[in-house]
């Protein structure tokens, strides 16, 4: 009973000391020869690790305890704490060591070892500082926005020490111009070129955490200029149009003001990604004309016109032109080979120089051809 009473005084004394001693300052009480108080270096640990708390004992120790703030964890061999993570490691004449497993942020704070000897009480205090790896907790999920809108990407992270945030654009290509070091990454009036993959990194002394977000930017179609197409009567022909749009455009084809549908009059319409193809399998006289391709998505539309024009079937005269030019080339080559020998290397000018003679031959040849028709 007597011992219990003294013990309570020790505990309450150490509690008073804890409140008085400024944390972090190595303090030795002066004047009071009855007590001896030590402040140990801070212990810095990572969340989840195990901490050992040790204080020296000495001769004639009557009572000893480890305290967390104002609550006793261990009083001698007796465990007062209900926390299963706290356990006794060593208690003998030299040292009193306990351990705390799986340290968490809430364990951060001042721990005091109070020792009562036959004459004077003594405390040893230590500050446990818990570090936590960064974790991104609030993050913009994949975003779909319209071109021109103001976009804010968010990346909020926990961690101790406070993590530093940085943003960068990963794709289409890493772009240094648009890095940011803010939790809220603002992109005013976004353009289509800023669509892509962005990465947020949260970093502190102990680790980093990263997350990526895909930013999709919708924009209305823009059309590439259509190219007019010439087709011979009875042949097949293809009109093509291409539009750049997100989401991908749907296409409509018009002949003047009249909409054309797939399978209509031997016409086939096929959309492949960003292009549309209008195919005539057998072009008739009535097919020649002005066609309009319209690309539409939810943000707008664009159009381009393509003329399907007639190419006259090769007649005797056009045929003659084709033939003479091919004969011309052919004869010129043969002539050069004759002149320079089969192994000769031809220089760029020899072809021109050598065409004079074959031109005469050619005229005769052409005349013969003409007579046949
Ligand atoms: C120990 O930690 C406390 C609380 O964070 C701080 O005030 C003090 O300066 C630290 N002392 C040392 C020696 O680092
Ligand atoms: C220390 O005390 C704090 C505050 O009461 C508590 O949250 C924490 O769990 C305690 N830690 C240990 C190891 O007892
Ligand atoms: C973080 O996300 C949660 C759930 O989405 C939300 O309720 C909370 O408001 C967010 N916090 C901040 C600071 O935006
Ligand atoms: C974007 O922000 C600017 C400046 O803050 C503002 O003037 C504009 O109205 C905003 N645009 C939209 C689409 O909210
Ligand atoms: C194309 O159409 C014409 C007229 O209808 C027909 O005479 C011809 O046989 C067709 N050609 C082909 C390859 O189908
Ligand atoms: C084709 O039609 C479009 C739309 O009707 C028109 O703007 C364009 O001028 C026409 N092209 C020709 C060559 O007539
Ligand atoms: C084609 O575009 C012009 C202007 O860009 C527009 O005036 C016209 O109505 C469009 N035509 C169609 C068929 O959408």
């Amino acid at each position: 009973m007597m011992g219990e009473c003294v013990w309570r005084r020790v505990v309450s004394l150490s509690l008073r000391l804890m409140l008085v001693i400024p944390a972090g300052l190595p303090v030795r009480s002066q004047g009071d020869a009855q007590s001896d108080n030590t402040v140990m270096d801070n212990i810095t640990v990572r969340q989840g690790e195990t901490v050992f708390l040790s204080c020296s004992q000495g001769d004639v120790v009557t009572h000893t305890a480890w305290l967390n703030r104002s609550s006793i964890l261990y009083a001698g061999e007796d465990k007062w704490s209900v926390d299963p993570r706290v356990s006794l490691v060593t208690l003998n004449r030299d040292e009193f060591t306990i351990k705390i497993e799986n340290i968490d942020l809430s364990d951060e704070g001042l721990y005091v070892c109070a020792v009562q000897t036959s004459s004077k009480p003594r405390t040893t205090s230590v500050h446990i500082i818990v570090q936590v790896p960064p974790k991104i907790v609030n993050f913009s999920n994949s975003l779909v926005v319209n071109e021109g809108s103001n976009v804010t990407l968010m990346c909020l992270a926990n961690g101790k020490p406070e993590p530093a945030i940085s943003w960068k654009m990963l794709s289409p290509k890493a772009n240094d111009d648009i890095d940011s070091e803010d939790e809220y990454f603002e992109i005013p009036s976004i353009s289509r070129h800023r669509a892509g993959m962005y990465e947020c990194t949260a970093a502190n002394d102990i680790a980093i955490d990263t997350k990526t977000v895909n930013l999709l930017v919708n924009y209305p179609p823009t059309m590439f200029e259509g190219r007019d197409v010439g087709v011979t009567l009875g042949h097949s022909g293809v009109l093509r149009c291409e539009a750049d749009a997100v989401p991908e455009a749907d296409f409509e084809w018009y002949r003047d003001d009249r909409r054309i549908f797939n399978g209509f009059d031997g016409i086939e319409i096929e959309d492949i990604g960003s292009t549309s193809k209008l195919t005539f399998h057998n072009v008739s006289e009535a097919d020649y004309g002005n066609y309009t391709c319209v690309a539409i998505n939810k943000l707008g539309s664009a159009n381009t016109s393509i003329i399907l024009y007639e190419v006259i079937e090769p007649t005797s005269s056009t045929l003659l032109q084709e033939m003479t030019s091919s004969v011309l080339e052919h004869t010129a080559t043969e002539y050069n080979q004759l002149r320079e020998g089969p192994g000769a290397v031809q220089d760029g000018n020899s072809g021109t120089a050598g065409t004079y003679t074959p031109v005469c031959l050619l005229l005769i040849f052409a005349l013969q051809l003409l007579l046949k028709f």
Side-chain angles (χ1 to χ4, degrees), residues 78-330:
D78 295 333
K79 184 174 174 183
W80 286 36
S81 168
V82 292
D83 194 329
R85 298 172 304 136
V86 181
S87 56
L88 180 64
V89 178
T90 314
L91 176 58
N92 58 30
R93 276 173 55 91
D94 299 324
E95 58 166 311
F96 180 22
T97 304
I98 62 167
K99 70 173 177 190
I100 307 168
E101 288 167 287
N102 194 16
I103 282 278
D104 206 350
L105 258 184
S106 59
D107 297 322
E108 188 165 282
L110 191 64
Y111 289 75
V112 176
C113 173
V115 177
Q116 173 67 35
T117 63
S118 53
S119 55
K120 55 177 185 180
R122 182 173 92 225
T123 66
T124 305
S125 46
V126 59
H127 221 104
I128 293 182
I129 292 168
V130 182
Q131 290 187 327
V132 183
K135 183 162 175 56
I136 296 171
V137 286
N138 263 25
F139 190 65
S140 302
N141 289 315
S142 286
L143 278 185
V144 181
V145 297
N146 293 342
E147 193 169 40
S149 50
N150 298 330
V151 177
T152 303
L153 300 178
M154 176 182 62
C155 181
L156 304 181
N158 288 339
K160 218 171 146 283
E162 180 91 31
I165 303 292
S166 61
W167 280 98
K168 73 173 181 219
M169 188 173 185
L170 290 186
S171 67
K173 59 178 168 61
N175 190 338
D176 291 340
D177 298 347
I178 48 183
D179 287 358
S180 163
E181 306 211 323
D182 206 325
E183 289 173 318
Y184 295 94
F185 179 23
E186 312 218 350
I187 311 173
S189 187
I190 192 162
S191 77
R192 62 193 69 181
H193 310 293
R194 291 204 164 183
M197 195 74 91
Y198 289 81
E199 182 185 67
C200 168
T201 302
N204 67 11
D205 298 348
I206 54 175
I208 65 167
D209 190 20
T210 63
K211 272 193 154 58
T212 55
V213 56
N214 194 21
L215 179 58
L216 201 68
V217 178
N218 287 335
Y219 53 91
T222 50
M223 209 120 202
F224 299 96
E225 193 70 33
R227 282 173 60 165
D228 295 347
V229 174
V231 177
T232 305
L233 203 63
H235 286 224
S236 65
V238 179
L239 308 185
R240 268 176 232 278
C241 79
E242 187 175 359
D244 179 24
V246 175
E248 230 161 45
D250 292 324
F251 293 93
E252 290 176 2
W253 285 91
Y254 293 86
R255 165 75 192 270
D256 303 318
D257 289 333
R258 194 164 43 90
R259 173 103 188 254
I260 303 166
F261 294 95
N262 187 29
F264 177 85
D265 259 357
I267 291 173
E268 191 187 325
I269 297 175
E270 199 184 357
D271 295 349
I272 308 151
S274 61
T275 66
S276 183
K277 235 170 67 176
L278 179 91
T279 306
F280 300 91
H281 290 294
N282 181 359
V283 170
S284 71
E285 194 69 54
D287 289 333
Y288 296 118
N290 185 353
Y291 292 81
T292 302
C293 170
V294 183
I296 305 157
N297 75 5
K298 60 185 179 182
L299 294 186
S301 70
N303 64 63
T304 187
S305 290
I306 300 171
I307 308 293
L308 179 68
Y309 63 91
E310 182 167 12
V311 171
I312 307 299
E313 196 169 357
T315 58
S316 52
S317 61
T318 56
L319 196 66
L320 180 68
Q321 273 176 12
E322 282 175 22
M323 286 184 75
T324 48
S325 59
S326 84
V327 167
L328 187 82
E329 279 170 32
H330 195 73

Side-chain angles (χ1 to χ4, degrees), residues 358-369:
V359 165
C360 301
L361 283 171
L362 204 69
L363 281 173
I364 298 160
F365 192 68
L367 268 171
Q368 282 176 340
L369 265 173

